[in-house]
Amino acid sequence: MWAHAEYIKLLRSVRDGRVFDLIPTVADRYLRKRGRNDLEVWKPVRQVRRVRVGQTLRIQAPRPFQLHWSRDDWQSAQDKDSTATLLGIHFLDIPVAAPQTAPIRFTFLWCDNTQWEGRDYEVAVRGESVRETKVRHARA
């Protein structure tokens, strides 16, 4: 039945000259690239290497954590607890603003067993802001 239904939707799309079951809001987001570009997500299975000034670095993990982090090569550090979501994902946002140039360094203290991760992570900061990148791409 599923294949038959897909075939009928395809025929309807051909007849109409446009996709029959297109969701305009979703199509607009992806076809016109209007989604968020001010958020860069780091997670254990997707360890981003850099973030731009003007973006927010979101550190995400599958369990509760306290993030021990620094934006000045460990000259100073901050500790902050993650926020839980209803999906069982825990996150913490770090805004990256000018004149930030040093990498953001961090490690995890896992709250469920009070254990340190045992290693540091680093995300480089690019000086070009999100807005400057948009302007440069618009001119190209």
Side-chain angles (χ1 to χ4, degrees):
M1 287 303 255
W2 174 80
H4 184 70
E6 289 298 315
Y7 182 69
I8 291 171
K9 288 194 305 187
L10 179 61
L11 290 176
R12 169 79 186 265
S13 296
V14 169
R15 188 194 76 188
D16 293 352
R18 63 183 183 86
V19 179
F20 168 69
D21 57 351
L22 180 109
I23 302 168
T25 305
V26 175
D28 190 47
R29 178 183 311 136
Y30 292 103
L31 295 174
R32 300 189 202 303
K33 298 190 183 210
R34 293 181 125 165
R36 281 188 79 168
N37 64 355
D38 64 333
L39 186 67
E40 186 62 75
V41 178
W42 185 102
K43 49 189 172 180
V45 296
R46 183 184 180 271
Q47 298 180 11
V48 296
R49 296 183 180 174
R50 62 185 134 321
V51 64
R52 292 187 303 229
V53 168
Q55 287 186 307
T56 296
L57 176 62
R58 175 167 288 173
I59 309 297
Q60 183 177 304
R63 52 197 257 227
F65 63 89
Q66 181 181 83
L67 197 72
H68 181 70
W69 66 281
S70 174
R71 58 173 87 235
D72 59 8
D73 290 320
W74 298 119
Q75 299 296 317
S76 64
Q78 299 181 41
D79 295 313
K80 192 165 181 186
D81 293 334
S82 62
T83 300
T85 69
L86 295 175
L87 298 173
I89 297 169
H90 302 265
F91 73 94
L92 181 131
D93 288 344
I94 301 173
V96 182
Q100 175 77 32
T101 57
I104 296 170
R105 299 181 194 279
F106 58 93
T107 190
F108 295 92
L109 174 63
W110 300 107
C111 299
D112 54 0
N113 63 4
T114 321
Q115 293 286 327
W116 285 100
E117 173 76 9
R119 70 174 282 200
D120 291 351
Y121 298 95
E122 176 182 309
V123 178
V125 175
R126 289 179 42 194
E128 185 178 66
S129 72
V130 175
R131 183 178 178 91
E132 291 167 337
T133 302
K134 279 185 177 179
V135 170
R136 188 168 42 80
H137 285 279
R139 290 181 184 155

